[in-house]
């Protein structure tokens, strides 16, 4: 938000992410916007291959694209660590598993998926639930610095898109302690972090 500048609706492009503050209609279909913040962001996840605390950068091989990317960690970057128990809980929700809170432990299991498509829909629903869990707890997690990072650590990052002036992305949020989550989604698909602060009162 510190880097946001005044813009107009013509500058918004398909694929951009945005956050709206305003009043939602009674049917929930529209919002009368008081303010909009928009931008193009990248989501990366994988194991760190290098950490340069002096330069303020981390390098990882992104699970989704299989490309090696270098991301700058700045004083404005929100660096957090997910406790192991929370990571296991979110991973279980991603799998729609019996070990998720409120799951099937001690209960009769539900009917099996009727088709691969039904299984995919169930996985997508599990990822959405897990994403909501993570979004709700993100602002309450302990903060870290780049000094707490080390090669081999699993991370999820939401970063600015590289600009014409720089080939590097800058981390908006960097989350550590996510190895169980990446194990549940080994291709890097299904769940991403949000670039927006969790503490706001945005309508959408």
């Amino acid at each position: 938000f510190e880097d946001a500048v005044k813009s107009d609706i013509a500058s918004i492009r398909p694929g951009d992410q945005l956050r709206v503050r305003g009043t939602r209609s009674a049917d929930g279909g529209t919002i009368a916007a008081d303010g909009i913040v928009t931008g193009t962001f990248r989501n990366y996840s994988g194991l760190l291959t290098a950490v340069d605390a002096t330069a303020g950068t981390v390098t990882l091989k992104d699970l989704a694209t299989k490309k090696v990317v270098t991301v700058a960690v700045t004083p404005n970057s929100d660096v957090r660590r997910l406790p192991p128990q929370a990571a296991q809980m979110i991973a279980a929700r991603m799998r729609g598993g019996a070990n998720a809170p409120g799951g099937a432990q001690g209960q009769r299991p539900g009917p099996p998926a009727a088709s691969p498509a039904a299984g995919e829909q169930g996985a997508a629903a599990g990822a959405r639930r897990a994403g909501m869990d993570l979004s709700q707890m993100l602002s309450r997690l302990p903060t870290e610095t780049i000094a707490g990072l080390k090669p081999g650590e699993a991370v999820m990052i939401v970063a600015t898109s590289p600009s014409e002036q720089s080939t590097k992305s800058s981390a908006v949020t960097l989350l550590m302690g996510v190895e169980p989550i990446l194990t549940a989604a080994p291709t890097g698909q299904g769940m991403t972090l949000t670039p927006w602060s969790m503490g706001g009162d945005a309508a959408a």
Side-chain angles (χ1 to χ4, degrees):
F1 286 102
E2 293 85 355
D3 297 328
V5 296
K6 189 172 182 179
S7 187
D8 54 46
I9 196 168
S11 301
I12 302 175
R13 297 286 184 268
D16 285 357
Q17 298 178 45
L18 59 83
R19 182 168 182 173
V20 180
R21 296 181 187 273
T23 304
R24 193 185 300 272
S25 64
D27 64 2
T30 60
I31 296 173
D34 296 323
I36 298 174
V37 179
T38 183
T40 303
F41 300 92
R42 302 287 181 88
N43 281 279
Y44 305 115
S45 59
L47 301 181
L48 294 176
T49 58
V51 177
D52 189 334
T54 302
T57 61
V58 297
T59 303
L60 70 154
K61 185 175 182 180
D62 183 46
L63 288 173
T65 64
K66 309 304 181 186
K67 294 181 179 180
V68 175
V69 294
T70 298
V71 180
V73 181
T74 73
N76 288 331
S77 299
D78 189 18
V79 182
R80 308 259 179 172
R81 182 178 293 277
L82 192 62
Q85 185 176 0
Q88 293 288 355
M89 178 196 75
I90 291 170
R93 283 201 177 255
M94 288 187 70
R95 293 188 294 264
N99 294 327
Q105 281 189 342
Q107 301 177 16
R108 189 185 315 171
S115 66
E120 291 173 5
Q121 291 172 359
R128 284 195 297 272
R129 289 194 299 271
M132 288 188 288
D133 287 344
L134 187 56
S135 294
Q136 290 169 2
M137 70 173 66
L138 192 57
S139 64
R140 301 192 296 270
L141 296 177
T143 57
E144 296 271 353
T145 67
I146 192 172
L149 296 168
K150 59 183 181 296
E153 190 155 20
V155 297
M156 294 172 64
I157 300 173
V158 59
T160 59
S161 186
S163 64
E164 294 178 359
Q165 292 77 29
S166 174
T167 58
K168 288 192 185 74
S169 296
S170 294
V172 178
T173 301
L174 187 154
L175 184 61
M176 297 177 275
V178 297
E179 186 171 355
I181 296 174
L182 300 191
T183 300
T187 62
Q189 302 292 338
M191 194 175 88
T192 56
L193 296 175
T194 171
W196 312 118
S197 166
M198 295 295 105
D201 56 355

